[in-house]
Amino acid sequence: MEDRIFEMVQGDLFRTPLWLWTLPLGEHRFVPSWGKGTVTWLTQKVGATEVKLPSGFSFWSSWSFAVCTAKEERSQRDLWRALMREDSPTPLDWLVLLFNVPEPCALRVRVGKHGTIDYRLIVHDSDGPLAHASREVSLPHGQAEHHLLTIIGQGRGKGLGAQIVANAIALYRRLSVSELYLTAGLSAGGAVWGKFGYRPVDPMAWRGVKRTVRRRLAAVGANDRAAYRLRYGVSLEKTVAALLRLSDPRTLWDILDLDPDKVVQLGGSGRGLGGFLLQGTRWRAILDLQDPEAERRLRDYVETKIPGSLPPGW
Amino acid sequence: MSAFKPLHKPGQAKPQVKSWGPADAVDEETHLTKDIGELDRDHPGWDRRSKVLAARRLLKEPGMEEAVVRGIYGKAIVEEALAAEGLPAGGLASS
């Protein structure tokens, strides 16, 4: 009867390309623009092989794209039972990670021996893959590491990333996980994760961001600087300098919030000033759910991005 | 042979994600908890509270000028933050 819990949450198999597991190298910031096409082509060529994944919740053991053998499946179930208390979230509860995302999608879970759980989220729709997320949760430490979140092609700009993050928060609250870590800056992440309430993990990491912000500030044109001064009655240089004097890593949020009236045009690029200044930064990030300001920033952003789509448990 | 069994056969209902909050705390239609779903939305400025918190934090920084914070969060939010800190508009020095 107990094993029925696991079977209830396993779905039909669907096909997905192997390249989903490779980093989208073609879009990596270290790949020069002239090489992006070639690298993308190679990545997709190598990864053209398709694998079958079960939709819903399923365990993995060696590779997250490989189906467990019967022995591995038994071992994973035993580890799960040893780790979870009676009131812990069940595999059915873990399906909140798939809340309001397109189908089919697979939640691949691997239980470690020391209270860690690795999971991968593979989101598809009828046209193909949309997103891939890779995370590790340490239950004894109440921490989660978000290794990678890739939103692919047509999945972008529709709030799918925000939905995936919001779903994870709902699960983490149940698991008493309150510290989320990631490394921001793989592609555009340095200018994105602050919107979700992530901040540099310590003053040292914040110092690294400051250097890039100073460099980017020099690239803001004279007309934009004049427009800023005219609107706010204070120069952009003075404002940024005042922020960069602070050692509090939460100041990154203030950089992101610069120019609320959006008078700085940045050559008509349509980008916000804060995002422009943080572009190209790479920093170790923490989202501390016990910090009321971080938590509120996350809520405000997610609520605006995916109105009415918060998962149960928020 | 796959170790996995199909989740739901044709014609069977799919399992639903269950809520773990108190039943009456979740709006059945939107799935938003009343905490942020109803109470916050009824409150003016529900979507900018983080900005007010941030402005309050900045205003408390030694040497921080009100004009600088206005350039980041705008006049309305700074006024709200000043009021929350018990300071009048213009309550911080500007140069």
Side-chain angles (χ1 to χ4, degrees), chain A residues 113-131:
Chain A
K113 286 181 179 167
H114 305 291
T116 59
I117 300 181
D118 282 312
Y119 72 87
R120 307 279 187 274
L121 197 61
I122 298 99
V123 181
H124 266 236
D125 68 1
S126 52
D127 294 328
L130 293 178

Side-chain angles (χ1 to χ4, degrees), chain A residues 8 10-12 58 67-68 93 103 170 174 228 238 250 254 257 259-260 293 296 299-300 310 313-314, chain B residues 3-4 6-7 14 18 20 33 35-36 40-41 46-47 49-50 54 57-58 61 65 71-73 95:
Chain A
M8 276 171 63
Q10 293 169 4
D12 297 326
S58 60
V67 178
C68 275
D93 293 328
E103 291 184 334
R174 273 299 304 280
Y228 187 93
K238 181 177 177 177
R250 293 178 296 180
D254 308 317
D257 289 339
D259 186 24
E293 194 180 337
R296 173 52 65 179
R299 283 188 173 201
D300 284 359
L310 286 175
W314 261 68
Chain B
F4 298 98
L7 175 58
K14 289 168 62 179
K18 68 179 179 184
W20 39 69
T33 60
D35 174 23
I36 57 171
D40 273 19
R41 278 185 183 281
W46 66 271
D47 59 344
R49 284 189 181 175
S50 60
R57 169 173 48 77
L58 275 187
E61 287 286 349
E65 292 180 21
I72 303 166
Y73 289 107
S95 61

Side-chain angles (χ1 to χ4, degrees), chain A residues 6 14 30 34 57 63 86 88 143 165 187 191 200 213 234 295:
Chain A
F6 299 108
F14 68 96
F30 292 133
W34 53 264
F57 179 107
W63 301 96
E86 201 167 293
S88 298
Q143 297 172 343
V165 172
S187 54
V213 171
V234 61
E295 209 262 355

Side-chain angles (χ1 to χ4, degrees), chain A residues 7-13 54 58-59 67-70 73 90 92-93 95-96 99 103 108 170-171 174 228 232-234 238-239 242-243 246 248 250-251 253-254 257-260 292-293 296-297 299-300 303-304 307-314, chain B residues 1-10 12 14-21 26 29-37 40-41 45-51 53-55 57-58 61-65 67-75 77 94-95:
Chain A
E7 289 165 9
M8 276 171 63
V9 289
Q10 293 169 4
D12 297 326
L13 295 171
S58 60
F59 287 117
V67 178
C68 275
T69 64
E73 177 78 15
T90 65
L92 188 60
D93 293 328
L95 287 184
V96 74
F99 181 80
E103 291 184 334
R108 307 282 284 148
L171 175 68
R174 273 299 304 280
Y228 187 93
Y232 302 111
V234 61
K238 181 177 177 177
T239 304
L243 292 177
L246 305 179
D248 187 341
R250 293 178 296 180
T251 310
W253 301 334
D254 308 317
D257 289 339
L258 276 165
D259 186 24
E293 194 180 337
R296 173 52 65 179
R297 187 163 285 264
R299 283 188 173 201
D300 284 359
E303 269 272 77
T304 310
S309 301
L310 286 175
W314 261 68
Chain B
M1 175 87 183
S2 166
F4 298 98
K5 297 179 181 176
L7 175 58
H8 50 281
K9 295 186 173 62
Q12 272 186 333
K14 289 168 62 179
Q16 297 295 310
V17 177
K18 68 179 179 184
S19 164
W20 39 69
V26 179
E29 194 174 329
T30 63
H31 298 283
L32 293 173
T33 60
K34 283 188 177 175
D35 174 23
I36 57 171
D40 273 19
R41 278 185 183 281
W46 66 271
D47 59 344
R48 60 176 200 188
R49 284 189 181 175
S50 60
K51 306 254 188 313
L53 283 174
R57 169 173 48 77
L58 275 187
E61 287 286 349
M64 184 58 69
E65 292 180 21
V68 167
V69 186
R70 270 206 308 272
I72 303 166
Y73 289 107
K75 192 177 168 202
I77 283 179
S94 289
S95 61

